Amino acid sequence: MDFEFDAQTNEMREMIGEFARNKLAGPGVFDPCEFRRRWRLAGEQGALGTVVPGEYGGLGKGAVTAAAIMEALGHGCTDTGFVFSLGAHVFACLTPIVEFGTEEQKRHWLPPLCSGERIAAHGITEPEAGSDTLSMRTRAERRGDVYVLNGEKSFTTNSPVADVFVVQAVTRPGGGCFGLTTFVVEAGTPGLTVGRRYEKVGLRGSPTADLRFDDCEVPASRTLGPEGGGFGIFRTSMAWERTCLFALYLGVMRRVLETSIAYAGERRQFGAAIGDFQAVSHRIVDMALRLEAARLMLYRAAWGLDRGSTDEVSPALAKLAVSEAAVRAGLDAVQIQGGLGILNGEAETALRDALPARIFSGTNEIQKNNIARALGLGGTTRPRSHPSRRGEKWK
C-alpha cells in the first residue's frame, strides 16, 4: 500500500491549486460571460481533460490523479459551484465519450471539450425519475437515420451555458436496463429547449436548469455506444462521478479545517484563545478525523477504478463518507465561529455548498440501499463481491 502521490501528480496538484486560488475566484453572483472566461482558463490549464487521452487533447491520467486535481481545485477555488460544474463536465460527460465513443466521435467532441471551447451537460434526472432511473419517460424513436426525442429533464448541471448535452432516453419501453440509449445532442438543435436557471441553496456558481425535447431530431450517428446500452454507460459515469468529483469536497474541507484552526488560535474569550478550550479543540479534531477517513475511502475507490474494478460499493461508500463529512465540517465551522459563522463568509458557504452533496449522484439513502444489497440485505439479491482490507471478498 502506497499512500503517496507520484512526483508528477504532486507537481500537478500544486500547480492547479495555485492556479485555482489566483484565477478561478467567482464574482459572487452568476455571470455567464465570466463563467465561460474562467472555463476557458481551466481548459488551458488542463483541468478539463484529466481523464482524456493525449491524442484527443487531454492529459491521459487515471482516477487517482483526476481526484487529486479535483481536490486541489476544491481547496484553491472558493467558488465550489464552479468546480462542481467542472467535475460534472469531466466525469458525467467526457468520461462516457472516452469509454464508449467511436473514434470519429472522440475526435469530433473531445478536443473542444478539453480545451474549454465547449461546455457539456448530462441529462438524466426527470421530474418523475430521480433515484428511479429506469422510470424515466423521455423517449427516443428511431425514424430512418434519426432518432426523435420527446420528454423532459430536470436539475441538469451546466445546461444554461452548455454547448453539448449527453442525454439518456428510452428506446425500448419496458426494456429495463436494456431499454435506455445515450445520445450526444448539440445545443441549438430544433426541438431542444433549456429552461430558466435555478436559484439554489448551495453550489450557486454552478448553473442548473431543466431541458425539454419536443420532436427533437438527433442523427443516429450521435448515439453514444449501442442502442440499449445507456444504462451501462450511466453506471460507468456514476462510478467516476461518485469517486473523482467528490474529491473537490476533500479540498473544501481541508481549506475549512485550516481556517478553523487559524480562527481558534486568534479568537480570544475569557483571557485565552478559544482553541485552548476542549470543546473547541475536540470539535476541530473531529473535523480532521472525518476528513482523513473520507479521504482514504475516496482514494481507495479511485485506486480501484484505475485497476478496472467493477465494484460499485467502494464509490458508494466514498460518496457517503465525503458528503456526510462535508456537511458536518460546515456545521462545525459555523459553530466554531459563532455569530460570525452565520454571516456571509467561508463557513456558511461551505455548509450550503455541502448540502447538495447528499442529494446529487444518487441520494445517500440510495447509496445505503445499494450497499445493503451488496451485503446481502434488503432483498433476495446475492451479495456482490467487494474487496476487503486483506484482499479477500465478501461471500
Side-chain angles (χ1 to χ4, degrees), residues 7 49 65 82 88 108 141 156 179 205 215 218 242 250 252 255 318 332:
T65 300
F82 181 77
H108 180 75
E141 179 184 351
T156 305
D215 291 331
V218 180
R242 288 167 184 163
L250 299 179
V252 174
R255 172 162 43 85
D332 286 336

Side-chain angles (χ1 to χ4, degrees), residues 23-80:
K23 301 293 185 180
L24 295 185
V29 294
F30 177 76
D31 180 282
C33 294
E34 176 64 17
F35 184 93
R36 194 170 284 272
R37 183 191 70 81
R38 289 184 290 152
W39 194 274
R40 285 183 175 274
L41 288 176
E44 293 170 2
Q45 198 69 22
L48 299 177
T50 50
V51 298
V52 176
E55 59 264 36
Y56 307 116
L59 300 179
K61 301 300 180 182
V64 169
T65 300
I69 289 175
M70 286 299 295
E71 182 179 356
L73 287 167
H75 183 267
C77 179
T78 55
D79 186 353
T80 303

Side-chain angles (χ1 to χ4, degrees), residues 31-311:
D31 180 282
C33 294
E34 176 64 17
F35 184 93
R36 194 170 284 272
R37 183 191 70 81
R38 289 184 290 152
W39 194 274
R40 285 183 175 274
L41 288 176
E44 293 170 2
Q45 198 69 22
L48 299 177
T50 50
V51 298
V52 176
E55 59 264 36
Y56 307 116
L59 300 179
K61 301 300 180 182
V64 169
T65 300
I69 289 175
M70 286 299 295
E71 182 179 356
L73 287 167
H75 183 267
C77 179
T78 55
D79 186 353
T80 303
F82 181 77
V83 180
F84 172 77
S85 277
L86 294 178
H89 169 91
V90 174
F91 303 114
C93 300
L94 272 69
T95 301
I97 297 175
V98 170
E99 295 282 344
F100 300 96
T102 65
E103 183 64 24
E104 181 180 355
Q105 289 172 335
K106 292 176 184 179
R107 295 199 176 279
H108 180 75
W109 297 113
L110 292 177
L113 291 172
C114 287
S115 68
E117 177 185 347
R118 290 190 168 194
I119 300 172
H122 181 215
I124 179 71
T125 302
E126 297 185 1
E128 301 298 328
S131 299
D132 187 7
T133 305
L134 296 181
S135 292
M136 73 171 58
R137 297 179 180 179
T138 299
R139 298 290 188 261
E141 179 184 351
R142 181 74 180 258
R143 298 179 187 173
D145 292 333
V146 302
Y147 284 86
V148 180
L149 274 63
N150 284 282
E152 299 178 25
K153 299 293 181 182
S154 55
F155 305 112
T156 305
T157 300
N158 293 342
S159 56
V161 294
D163 306 291
V164 181
F165 298 87
V166 177
V167 179
Q168 298 280 358
V170 177
T171 48
R172 182 185 165 194
C177 295
F178 302 102
L180 303 183
T181 301
T182 307
F183 300 89
V184 182
V185 185
E186 286 196 82
T189 300
L192 169 59
T193 305
V194 180
R196 295 180 60 183
R197 182 175 59 86
Y198 290 134
E199 296 293 341
K200 308 190 298 297
V201 66
L203 300 177
R204 293 175 179 174
S206 176
T208 307
D210 296 339
L211 305 177
R212 184 173 180 84
F213 299 91
D214 294 295
D215 291 331
C216 179
E217 294 188 359
V218 180
S221 61
R222 299 287 171 85
T223 301
L224 189 62
E227 181 175 308
F231 189 71
I233 295 174
F234 169 68
R235 288 174 64 177
T236 298
S237 66
M238 283 300 98
W240 280 86
E241 185 172 297
R242 288 167 184 163
T243 301
C244 298
L245 183 148
F246 276 82
L248 77 89
Y249 284 106
L250 299 179
V252 174
M253 284 189 281
R254 182 157 56 92
R255 172 162 43 85
V256 170
L257 175 63
E258 291 167 354
T259 56
S260 295
I261 292 171
Y263 181 84
E266 296 168 0
R267 172 66 169 164
R268 299 184 68 82
Q269 288 285 280
F270 306 104
I274 64 171
D276 292 342
F277 304 146
Q278 190 176 77
V280 175
S281 63
H282 282 194
R283 187 180 294 274
I284 291 176
V285 169
D286 286 339
M287 292 172 70
L289 173 63
R290 287 190 294 269
L291 168 59
E292 289 303 316
R295 193 169 188 271
L296 287 170
M297 296 184 75
L298 185 138
Y299 279 102
R300 182 189 179 198
W303 177 85
L305 283 177
D306 279 343
R307 282 151 182 77
S309 172
T310 58
D311 166 38

